[in-house]
Amino acid sequence: MYGMTIKKVKTGQAKHSSDWELILENPMPQETPDLKTCQIRVPGAHGALDLSEGLWGLRFENRRIPIRLGGLREDKRWPSVYSAFLNEYHGQKVEITLDIDPDWYYVGRFYVKGSLERTARIGKLECELEAEPFKYEKRSSLEPWKWDPFSFVNGVIRNYGDIVVDGLREFTVIGNEHNVTPEILLLEGAVTVSFRGITYQLGTGRNQFYDFELEPGKNLFIFTGSGRVAVDFKGVSL
Protein backbone atom coordinates (compact mmCIF):
# COMPACT_ATOMS: atom_id res chain seq x y z
CA MET A 1 0.00 0.00 0.00
CA TYR A 2 1.33 3.41 -0.97
CA GLY A 3 1.06 6.80 0.64
CA MET A 4 2.70 10.20 0.51
CA THR A 5 4.57 12.68 2.66
CA ILE A 6 3.06 16.14 3.08
CA LYS A 7 5.42 18.92 4.15
CA LYS A 8 4.05 22.37 4.98
CA VAL A 9 6.22 24.97 3.28
CA LYS A 10 5.60 27.65 5.93
CA THR A 11 6.63 25.58 8.96
CA GLY A 12 8.69 22.77 7.43
CA GLN A 13 6.56 20.24 9.35
CA ALA A 14 6.23 16.94 7.51
CA LYS A 15 3.84 14.04 8.09
CA HIS A 16 3.21 10.84 6.19
CA SER A 17 -0.33 9.88 5.22
CA SER A 18 0.09 6.81 7.42
CA ASP A 19 0.31 9.15 10.42
CA TRP A 20 -3.33 9.91 9.65
CA GLU A 21 -4.04 6.20 9.07
CA LEU A 22 -4.72 7.00 5.42
CA ILE A 23 -3.49 5.35 2.23
CA LEU A 24 -3.20 6.82 -1.25
CA GLU A 25 -5.78 5.13 -3.45
CA ASN A 26 -4.20 6.49 -6.64
CA PRO A 27 -0.47 5.87 -5.97
CA MET A 28 0.75 7.83 -9.02
CA PRO A 29 -1.71 10.70 -9.48
CA GLN A 30 -0.92 12.61 -12.65
CA GLU A 31 -2.40 15.50 -14.58
CA THR A 32 -0.25 17.03 -17.28
CA PRO A 33 0.13 20.84 -17.26
CA ASP A 34 -1.33 22.77 -20.16
CA LEU A 35 1.14 24.39 -22.54
CA LYS A 36 1.17 28.17 -22.69
CA THR A 37 0.55 28.81 -26.37
CA CYS A 38 1.02 31.93 -28.47
CA GLN A 39 -0.32 31.95 -32.01
CA ILE A 40 -0.65 34.97 -34.27
CA ARG A 41 -3.18 35.03 -37.09
CA VAL A 42 -1.66 36.78 -40.12
CA PRO A 43 -4.13 38.19 -42.67
CA GLY A 44 -3.55 36.75 -46.12
CA ALA A 45 -1.44 33.83 -44.83
CA HIS A 46 -2.38 30.22 -44.32
CA GLY A 47 -2.64 28.97 -40.75
CA ALA A 48 -0.97 30.93 -37.94
CA LEU A 49 2.48 31.76 -36.64
CA ASP A 50 3.19 29.53 -33.65
CA LEU A 51 5.43 31.42 -31.22
CA SER A 52 4.77 29.12 -28.26
CA GLU A 53 8.45 28.30 -27.77
CA GLY A 54 9.50 31.93 -28.17
CA LEU A 55 12.92 32.93 -26.88
CA TRP A 56 12.83 30.77 -23.76
CA GLY A 57 11.48 27.41 -24.89
CA LEU A 58 8.22 25.82 -23.80
CA ARG A 59 6.34 27.29 -20.85
CA PHE A 60 3.57 25.52 -18.92
CA GLU A 61 0.59 26.42 -16.76
CA ASN A 62 0.16 25.04 -13.25
CA ARG A 63 -1.14 21.48 -13.02
CA ARG A 64 -3.98 20.08 -10.90
CA ILE A 65 -3.12 16.75 -9.30
CA PRO A 66 -6.05 14.70 -7.93
CA ILE A 67 -5.33 12.89 -4.66
CA ARG A 68 -7.67 10.23 -3.25
CA LEU A 69 -7.09 9.16 0.34
CA GLY A 70 -8.88 6.42 2.20
CA GLY A 71 -8.78 4.73 5.58
CA LEU A 72 -10.49 2.47 8.06
CA ARG A 73 -11.33 3.48 11.65
CA GLU A 74 -14.15 3.57 14.16
CA ASP A 75 -17.15 5.38 12.74
CA LYS A 76 -17.35 7.92 15.57
CA ARG A 77 -13.71 8.99 15.08
CA TRP A 78 -14.08 10.17 11.49
CA PRO A 79 -15.60 13.64 12.17
CA SER A 80 -12.72 14.71 14.43
CA VAL A 81 -10.07 13.25 12.10
CA TYR A 82 -11.66 15.01 9.13
CA SER A 83 -11.68 18.36 10.97
CA ALA A 84 -8.07 17.92 12.07
CA PHE A 85 -6.98 17.10 8.51
CA LEU A 86 -8.80 20.18 7.17
CA ASN A 87 -7.23 22.43 9.80
CA GLU A 88 -3.81 21.04 9.02
CA TYR A 89 -3.76 21.20 5.22
CA HIS A 90 -6.76 22.81 3.50
CA GLY A 91 -5.49 25.84 1.60
CA GLN A 92 -1.87 25.36 2.74
CA LYS A 93 1.15 25.52 0.46
CA VAL A 94 2.88 22.15 0.69
CA GLU A 95 5.49 19.87 -0.79
CA ILE A 96 4.26 16.36 -1.58
CA THR A 97 6.49 13.33 -2.07
CA LEU A 98 4.88 10.14 -3.33
CA ASP A 99 6.08 6.82 -1.89
CA ILE A 100 6.23 5.40 -5.41
CA ASP A 101 8.43 8.30 -6.65
CA PRO A 102 10.60 9.15 -3.61
CA ASP A 103 13.36 11.15 -5.35
CA TRP A 104 11.01 13.91 -6.49
CA TYR A 105 8.49 16.28 -4.91
CA TYR A 106 5.67 18.55 -6.06
CA VAL A 107 5.02 22.07 -4.77
CA GLY A 108 1.56 23.60 -4.64
CA ARG A 109 -1.51 24.57 -2.69
CA PHE A 110 -3.46 21.72 -1.14
CA TYR A 111 -7.25 21.54 -1.12
CA VAL A 112 -9.74 19.08 0.34
CA LYS A 113 -12.58 18.81 -2.19
CA GLY A 114 -16.14 18.31 -0.98
CA SER A 115 -17.17 16.42 2.11
CA LEU A 116 -15.91 13.24 3.74
CA GLU A 117 -17.36 10.11 2.11
CA ARG A 118 -18.23 7.47 4.69
CA THR A 119 -19.46 3.90 4.41
CA ALA A 120 -19.61 2.35 7.85
CA ARG A 121 -15.97 2.42 9.06
CA ILE A 122 -14.49 3.32 5.66
CA GLY A 123 -13.78 6.96 4.95
CA LYS A 124 -12.54 8.63 1.77
CA LEU A 125 -11.17 12.11 1.08
CA GLU A 126 -11.02 13.69 -2.35
CA CYS A 127 -8.16 16.20 -2.43
CA GLU A 128 -6.31 18.22 -5.03
CA LEU A 129 -2.89 19.82 -5.30
CA GLU A 130 -2.78 22.94 -7.45
CA ALA A 131 0.87 22.39 -8.26
CA GLU A 132 3.65 24.10 -10.13
CA PRO A 133 4.20 22.61 -13.61
CA PHE A 134 7.26 20.55 -12.71
CA LYS A 135 8.26 18.15 -10.00
CA TYR A 136 11.65 18.81 -8.38
CA GLU A 137 14.60 16.60 -7.53
CA LYS A 138 15.03 16.03 -3.81
CA ARG A 139 18.78 16.64 -3.94
CA SER A 140 20.30 19.86 -5.18
CA SER A 141 23.49 20.05 -7.22
CA LEU A 142 25.37 20.98 -4.01
CA GLU A 143 24.51 17.77 -2.18
CA PRO A 144 26.86 14.79 -2.47
CA TRP A 145 25.40 12.01 -4.57
CA LYS A 146 24.91 8.58 -3.02
CA TRP A 147 25.22 5.08 -4.46
CA ASP A 148 22.03 3.73 -2.93
CA PRO A 149 19.36 5.92 -4.59
CA PHE A 150 21.38 6.66 -7.75
CA SER A 151 19.77 5.66 -11.06
CA PHE A 152 22.26 4.18 -13.52
CA VAL A 153 19.63 4.56 -16.26
CA ASN A 154 19.02 8.33 -16.18
CA GLY A 155 20.88 9.64 -13.13
CA VAL A 156 23.43 12.47 -13.36
CA ILE A 157 26.38 12.79 -10.96
CA ARG A 158 26.76 16.47 -10.04
CA ASN A 159 29.48 17.86 -7.83
CA TYR A 160 29.10 21.61 -8.05
CA GLY A 161 29.58 22.59 -4.42
CA ASP A 162 33.20 23.79 -4.32
CA ILE A 163 34.72 25.01 -7.58
CA VAL A 164 38.18 26.51 -7.20
CA VAL A 165 38.95 29.44 -9.52
CA ASP A 166 42.55 30.55 -10.03
CA GLY A 167 42.78 32.61 -13.19
CA LEU A 168 40.40 31.18 -15.81
CA ARG A 169 38.29 28.10 -15.08
CA GLU A 170 35.93 26.48 -17.56
CA PHE A 171 33.26 24.39 -15.89
CA THR A 172 30.52 22.25 -17.47
CA VAL A 173 27.13 21.98 -15.78
CA ILE A 174 24.75 19.22 -16.90
CA GLY A 175 21.15 20.34 -17.28
CA ASN A 176 18.23 17.95 -17.36
CA GLU A 177 15.12 17.69 -19.55
CA HIS A 178 13.77 21.21 -18.90
CA ASN A 179 15.37 24.62 -18.54
CA VAL A 180 16.18 25.89 -15.04
CA THR A 181 17.94 29.01 -13.75
CA PRO A 182 20.72 28.16 -11.29
CA GLU A 183 22.03 30.18 -8.39
CA ILE A 184 25.77 30.87 -8.45
CA LEU A 185 27.39 31.21 -5.05
CA LEU A 186 30.55 33.19 -4.44
CA LEU A 187 32.03 31.44 -1.42
CA GLU A 188 35.17 33.58 -1.27
CA GLY A 189 37.35 35.81 -3.40
CA ALA A 190 36.56 37.95 -6.45
CA VAL A 191 35.19 36.14 -9.50
CA THR A 192 33.32 37.00 -12.70
CA VAL A 193 31.18 34.46 -14.56
CA SER A 194 30.45 34.24 -18.29
CA PHE A 195 27.69 32.16 -19.88
CA ARG A 196 26.91 32.23 -23.61
CA GLY A 197 28.76 35.53 -24.02
CA ILE A 198 27.10 37.30 -21.07
CA THR A 199 29.36 38.27 -18.16
CA TYR A 200 28.56 39.30 -14.57
CA GLN A 201 30.64 40.12 -11.52
CA LEU A 202 29.63 37.84 -8.66
CA GLY A 203 28.65 39.31 -5.34
CA THR A 204 29.36 37.48 -2.09
CA GLY A 205 26.67 34.87 -1.38
CA ARG A 206 23.96 33.81 -3.82
CA ASN A 207 23.62 35.30 -7.30
CA GLN A 208 20.87 34.51 -9.80
CA PHE A 209 20.89 35.83 -13.35
CA TYR A 210 17.72 35.06 -15.28
CA ASP A 211 19.49 35.08 -18.64
CA PHE A 212 21.64 32.18 -17.36
CA GLU A 213 19.16 29.42 -18.13
CA LEU A 214 20.46 25.86 -18.23
CA GLU A 215 19.44 23.84 -21.26
CA PRO A 216 19.32 20.03 -21.45
CA GLY A 217 22.81 18.56 -21.74
CA LYS A 218 26.12 20.39 -21.35
CA ASN A 219 26.24 24.06 -20.32
CA LEU A 220 29.65 25.77 -20.25
CA PHE A 221 30.42 28.39 -17.58
CA ILE A 222 33.65 30.41 -17.63
CA PHE A 223 34.85 31.74 -14.27
CA THR A 224 37.63 34.34 -14.10
CA GLY A 225 39.44 35.60 -11.02
CA SER A 226 40.49 34.03 -7.75
CA GLY A 227 38.23 32.33 -5.25
CA ARG A 228 35.71 29.54 -4.75
CA VAL A 229 32.24 29.28 -6.29
CA ALA A 230 29.35 26.83 -6.41
CA VAL A 231 26.41 26.25 -8.77
CA ASP A 232 23.13 25.40 -7.07
CA PHE A 233 19.95 24.11 -8.74
CA LYS A 234 17.50 21.24 -8.67
CA GLY A 235 16.55 19.27 -11.73
CA VAL A 236 12.92 19.39 -12.84
CA SER A 237 10.71 16.97 -14.72
CA LEU A 238 7.09 16.67 -15.82
Side-chain angles (χ1 to χ4, degrees):
M1 293 185 292
Y2 290 101
M4 63 182 186
T5 299
I6 311 174
K7 178 181 177 181
K8 295 167 72 172
V9 171
K10 186 175 182 179
T11 64
Q13 181 188 30
K15 288 184 179 180
H16 193 267
S17 53
S18 61
D19 296 330
W20 296 90
E21 299 178 38
L22 296 170
I23 63 170
L24 191 58
E25 294 190 345
N26 52 335
M28 194 66 185
Q30 284 292 342
E31 286 290 335
T32 56
D34 291 333
L35 175 67
K36 289 184 175 181
T37 59
C38 178
Q39 294 187 341
I40 299 176
R41 308 290 173 181
V42 181
H46 293 292
L49 292 176
D50 187 349
L51 305 179
S52 300
E53 297 188 42
L55 297 175
W56 304 282
L58 296 177
R59 290 295 185 265
F60 296 94
E61 304 285 356
N62 279 354
R63 69 204 301 180
R64 294 184 178 273
I65 300 177
I67 296 169
R68 297 194 301 273
L69 296 166
L72 182 69
R73 52 170 43 90
E74 292 180 22
D75 186 54
K76 63 182 180 181
R77 289 184 57 206
W78 274 114
S80 62
V81 170
Y82 178 62
S83 291
F85 192 85
L86 281 176
N87 291 332
E88 187 79 10
Y89 298 120
H90 185 58
Q92 296 288 328
K93 189 170 185 179
V94 301
E95 296 176 3
I96 285 183
T97 303
L98 305 173
D99 288 357
I100 202 170
D101 194 19
D103 295 329
W104 300 83
Y105 66 91
Y106 300 86
V107 179
R109 203 159 294 279
F110 190 89
Y111 298 100
V112 180
K113 311 288 285 185
S115 58
L116 171 69
E117 296 180 23
R118 287 168 53 192
T119 305
R121 298 175 61 199
I122 299 173
K124 293 186 178 183
L125 294 170
E126 290 286 342
C127 307
E128 182 177 86
L129 185 70
E130 185 179 339
E132 296 175 11
F134 299 106
K135 60 181 180 179
Y136 298 90
E137 284 182 324
K138 278 291 191 71
R139 294 179 180 83
S140 81
S141 58
L142 301 186
E143 297 178 68
W145 70 284
K146 298 179 181 179
W147 281 101
D148 188 41
F150 183 73
S151 171
F152 288 90
V153 176
N154 53 17
V156 176
I157 298 174
R158 299 186 177 99
N159 185 19
Y160 306 156
D162 193 357
I163 305 165
V164 177
V165 180
D166 185 11
L168 185 146
R169 174 78 185 269
E170 294 186 346
F171 191 84
T172 299
V173 172
I174 305 299
N176 71 344
E177 292 88 348
H178 297 276
N179 297 2
V180 294
T181 303
E183 291 184 318
I184 302 175
L185 288 68
L186 178 60
L187 305 176
E188 65 178 27
V191 177
T192 61
V193 57
S194 297
F195 183 67
R196 298 198 185 102
I198 303 171
T199 301
Y200 289 103
Q201 179 73 43
L202 294 176
T204 301
R206 291 181 175 269
N207 303 260
Q208 191 168 40
F209 311 114
Y210 289 98
D211 41 6
F212 282 19
E213 193 171 63
L214 300 179
E215 294 181 348
K218 296 181 179 180
N219 297 264
L220 179 64
F221 286 80
I222 301 174
F223 297 102
T224 307
S226 178
R228 294 166 47 244
V229 298
V231 180
D232 186 18
F233 71 97
K234 289 184 176 181
V236 299
S237 180
L238 289 174

